Amino acid sequence: MSNFGKKLIQVVNELQDKLNPLGIENVVIDLPQIVVIGGQSSGKSSVLESIVGIDFLPRGSGIVTRRPLVLQLISDTTANRAFGEFLHSPGKRFYDFNDIRDEITAETDREVAESTDISSVPINLKIYSPDVLDLTLVDLPGMTRVPIGTQPKDIEKICENMILKYIRKDNCLILAVTAANQDLATSDALKLANRVDPKGDRTIGVLTKLDLMDPGTNARDILNGKHEIRLKRGFIGVVNRSQKDIDDRKDIQKALSDESKFFTEHPAYGPDMAYKLGIKYLQEYLQSELSNHILRRLPQSKPKLETKLSEINERLSEMEVPLTEKTKETHLAQTNESFRQSFDSAMGGKVCRVDTKKLSGGARINVLMNDTFAKEVDHLFYDETRLGREIATAILNAPGAKLALFIPDVAFTSCVESQIELFRMPSLACVDWVTNEIINSVNEFSYHEYMLEIILRDIYSKLTLDSVRESNKKCKIFVEHMVATEKCYINTIHEDFKKVTGELTSSLISDVQLKVTTQAIQQNSKSDRFSYKKKDFWFVLKGSTLSWFTDETHKVQRGSVDVKGFHLKSETDFSLTLMFPFNRKLLSLGSNSEHEFVFNSKDMTLKWKDWFEGVGVKVDNGGPAADNESLYKDTKSESNQSLSRYSQSSHSISSHSCEDMAFPDHMPGQVDVVKKYIDKYVVILKTIFRDRLPKLCQLELIDSTSKFIATELHVRLRHQFPTIDDILGEDPDKDERIDLQNRKQHYIEAIDIIDKFSKMKL
């Protein structure tokens, strides 16, 4: 037999060891195995002893085998002599097989009170010997029809029900032992086998006492399948020791030699059949059939074990907290560790399988930190017009009443601070996003975690979520600190900043003023497509000149006008009306005193209104436009409001109020220089915040929560509840719980054994 086949049998032996002691009959009989059945005087015990090669079974009148015996034969070439081990006496070796016989009887009596009763709880016996083949057999009590002495009157029914309970499972091969010197039609073993295996797919027939058949008769036709009782696995003939041989203590090895001689010399069986008859052939055949059966059937056992495990877990999850006083502290520590492992798994710890229907908490947090937040940062919008005014104001404020030779650095650093402020809200929002996902994850896994009892679930969740909220506040303080840190030190020698801008040097204001040419004005022109008199034109605002064209190429001009000093009013969120002073010559707009422009969006309306206002167009109060203008200007500083209303047509401060002040003509060039540097610095800020915020959330929210569960949760729990009984209370289900946990551990180990089998290779 191949080494692979031996390993398969070893796998089933391990499963027998894990499951049989629990008395889980519906699992035991579900394992791929060979069950030996036979009536009294059929020679069943002699067949088993011949397979082992040693006398070890109790003998006597009546029902001798009163409990199933799971017999595991293990070939051990390193053993000097054969020995046995019982699963109920681990570590104890029996070298005297008379002691094994006595132990079987004693263990039977320990389980079965009366010597005439039988029990379905098996005895597990392993026999290690260099003279056996790896094989596992289950010996069942023999069938009896007539009760003897104090045996129950329904002893036949009791025996029959036990045997049927074992052999009705599809994973069971039936070894039906029948004496050849009786009519097969009356064989108890074959009749019971036929009830559960009518097609003969799982039954192996063994004919004993071939040497005791009447002179002139033989079993050749039966052994060759020429009989009305047909078994797909056939019949195998053997010759056992007679009762006289047993009484005379005839050696089994001598009996096997005599058996071989009998078949070889018998005229009916002769050389052509002798090779597939006898105990030696039966051993090899059973080993081969069992290993093949295991290979086909064992994988089907895993789902059944998993179902049983799930039922146990469900029952355990329904129970109130346990246990004995001695194990309560251990149980609490294990529950705490289970809670931590569940959190780590939810956040992205080691898992053996993942959900395919929805994202886990850790995965959702990953998306929020590295995708959603990153997009929020990338799409940060600042008002270019307002920024331009802030820059211009800063440039003018830096020298005050004096004249400046260079564009002041303070204009750049002061205006960058307002851009840094834009990062505050999305960063704080990201902290809240991550916090909410952690809260959802804790509530979710604490509810479904089977090791976490209901009484502890709320306590653990509350204490943990209190810590999460504390971490949220701490994390937001770090965000505020990070924003303040960026504001306090504008790093103009940052490597990335220098890469995109070169060495930052101050520019002469006079140089900038010289560049305020027509080209500069064109570069700063404002252009959009919108409707005038129900037709769409391309309007271009250069300085205070408004021109409009047929299309975006600006080749065909349809008109232009200088809008300085004109008035603007808005009736809706999507239109602006330009009102011209009386007696003012209109270039190409016609003689109407009011002209309405219709825009595509509210944002475009506000933008053009701001552009008109910036070049000297006065805005009339009242109506929806006034309300919108008020909201739009809430964020403007007083200095910006003053400068935005300064008329470009006047340069005399003394002759105008602050609201009529405007920027000098050379300011656009200076503003663009500073704005260029701000744009580049904002790119660096985006990179910094995209990088630091996920790290901060990981450290201060995720890692800190895991650390809290591992180190502080237990302390807070014991501080809130002085004694462990205050936490766990009484355990009304202690006995059932211990039994379920014991079964659970055996099921888990059995599943691991099957998993090991699945990794075996031919």
Side-chain angles (χ1 to χ4, degrees), residues 184-383:
L184 293 186
T186 63
S187 167
D188 292 330
L190 290 175
K191 287 198 308 188
L192 279 180
N194 183 64
R195 286 174 60 178
V196 297
D197 181 32
K199 295 182 179 179
D201 294 329
R202 299 186 287 112
T203 304
I204 303 170
V206 175
L207 289 181
T208 62
K209 303 183 180 181
L210 291 174
D211 56 329
L212 300 181
M213 295 184 71
D214 293 337
T217 62
N218 60 70
R220 183 181 178 89
D221 288 343
I222 298 174
L223 296 173
N224 284 328
K226 298 178 180 179
H227 191 275
E228 60 182 5
I229 298 178
R230 305 210 174 182
L231 306 178
K232 292 184 180 179
R233 299 175 190 267
F235 284 88
I236 298 174
V238 298
V239 173
N240 297 326
R241 293 176 299 169
S242 65
Q243 186 60 47
K244 184 177 184 305
D245 292 335
I246 295 172
D247 294 338
D248 294 342
R249 299 181 181 274
K250 181 178 181 179
D251 182 69
I252 290 181
Q253 298 304 319
K254 178 64 170 63
L256 294 177
S257 176
D258 292 344
E259 178 193 50
S260 176
K261 182 179 179 181
F262 171 81
F263 285 123
T264 302
E265 297 178 355
H266 195 284
Y269 310 121
D272 64 323
M273 291 184 63
Y275 74 93
K276 58 179 181 179
L277 298 173
I279 292 295
K280 289 292 185 184
Y281 176 77
L282 178 62
Q283 283 179 299
E284 296 171 355
Y285 181 79
L286 292 179
Q287 188 185 56
S288 175
E289 288 295 296
L290 178 58
S291 62
N292 290 333
H293 189 60
I294 292 171
L295 183 62
R296 292 191 301 269
R297 294 287 187 172
L298 188 57
Q300 303 172 13
S301 299
K302 182 178 178 180
K304 298 177 182 178
L305 288 171
E306 290 176 331
T307 299
K308 290 288 183 182
L309 180 61
S310 177
E311 292 173 356
I312 288 178
N313 288 334
E314 183 177 356
R315 175 63 186 127
L316 285 172
S317 68
E318 295 172 352
M319 292 182 177
E320 297 294 333
V321 246
L323 289 161
T324 65
E325 193 66 30
K326 182 179 179 180
T327 58
K328 284 183 179 181
E329 290 286 356
T330 301
H331 174 76
L332 190 61
Q334 290 174 341
T335 305
N336 197 90
E337 176 62 15
S338 172
F339 192 79
R340 184 193 65 78
Q341 290 177 356
S342 296
F343 176 80
D344 289 345
S345 295
M347 293 299 106
K350 295 180 180 180
V351 291
C352 59
R353 63 180 63 176
V354 295
D355 196 336
T356 60
K357 295 182 179 179
K358 63 178 181 179
L359 291 178
S360 66
R364 293 194 297 267
I365 289 173
N366 191 332
V367 171
L368 289 172
M369 293 192 305
N370 298 300
D371 184 73
T372 306
F373 173 70
K375 289 178 180 177
E376 289 291 321
V377 170
D378 286 338
H379 296 158
L380 279 178
F381 170 79
Y382 57 85
D383 189 330

Side-chain angles (χ1 to χ4, degrees), residues 15-81:
L15 290 173
Q16 296 277 14
D17 294 346
K18 293 298 178 186
L19 300 176
N20 279 354
L22 301 178
I24 312 171
E25 299 169 9
N26 60 328
V27 174
V28 172
I29 59 177
D30 224 6
L31 292 174
Q33 56 191 343
I34 298 176
V35 175
V36 186
I37 63 173
Q40 290 181 342
S41 301
S42 65
K44 178 169 64 72
S45 296
S46 295
V47 169
L48 290 173
E49 289 183 329
S50 296
I51 290 175
V52 177
I54 303 172
D55 292 327
F56 70 98
L57 292 173
R59 291 182 178 276
S61 60
I63 304 177
V64 179
T65 303
R66 295 183 290 122
R67 287 178 62 181
L69 176 66
V70 179
L71 179 62
Q72 300 174 4
L73 305 181
I74 301 169
S75 178
D76 186 357
T77 56
T78 63
N80 295 326
R81 55 181 176 141

Side-chain angles (χ1 to χ4, degrees), residues 57-117:
L57 292 173
R59 291 182 178 276
S61 60
I63 304 177
V64 179
T65 303
R66 295 183 290 122
R67 287 178 62 181
L69 176 66
V70 179
L71 179 62
Q72 300 174 4
L73 305 181
I74 301 169
S75 178
D76 186 357
T77 56
T78 63
N80 295 326
R81 55 181 176 141
F83 65 90
E85 286 185 352
F86 288 94
L87 193 60
H88 62 264
S89 299
K92 183 178 180 180
R93 294 185 175 184
F94 293 79
Y95 288 95
D96 188 336
F97 279 75
N98 289 321
D99 292 340
I100 289 179
R101 180 185 298 111
D102 294 341
E103 182 62 21
I104 292 174
T105 302
E107 180 63 16
T108 300
D109 291 339
R110 282 191 284 268
E111 175 66 25
V112 184
E114 297 292 335
S115 61
T116 54
D117 284 344

Side-chain angles (χ1 to χ4, degrees), residues 451-464:
M451 288 188 67
L452 192 62
E453 287 80 1
I454 296 175
I455 194 172
L456 284 178
R457 185 178 68 204
D458 294 339
I459 299 174
Y460 272 47
S461 295
K462 181 182 183 303
L463 293 178
T464 301

Side-chain angles (χ1 to χ4, degrees), residues 477-486 689 692-693 696:
I477 292 174
F478 279 113
V479 170
E480 299 286 356
H481 181 72
M482 186 163 64
V483 172
T485 301
E486 292 297 332
F689 277 84
R692 290 184 184 175
L693 244 295
L696 178 62

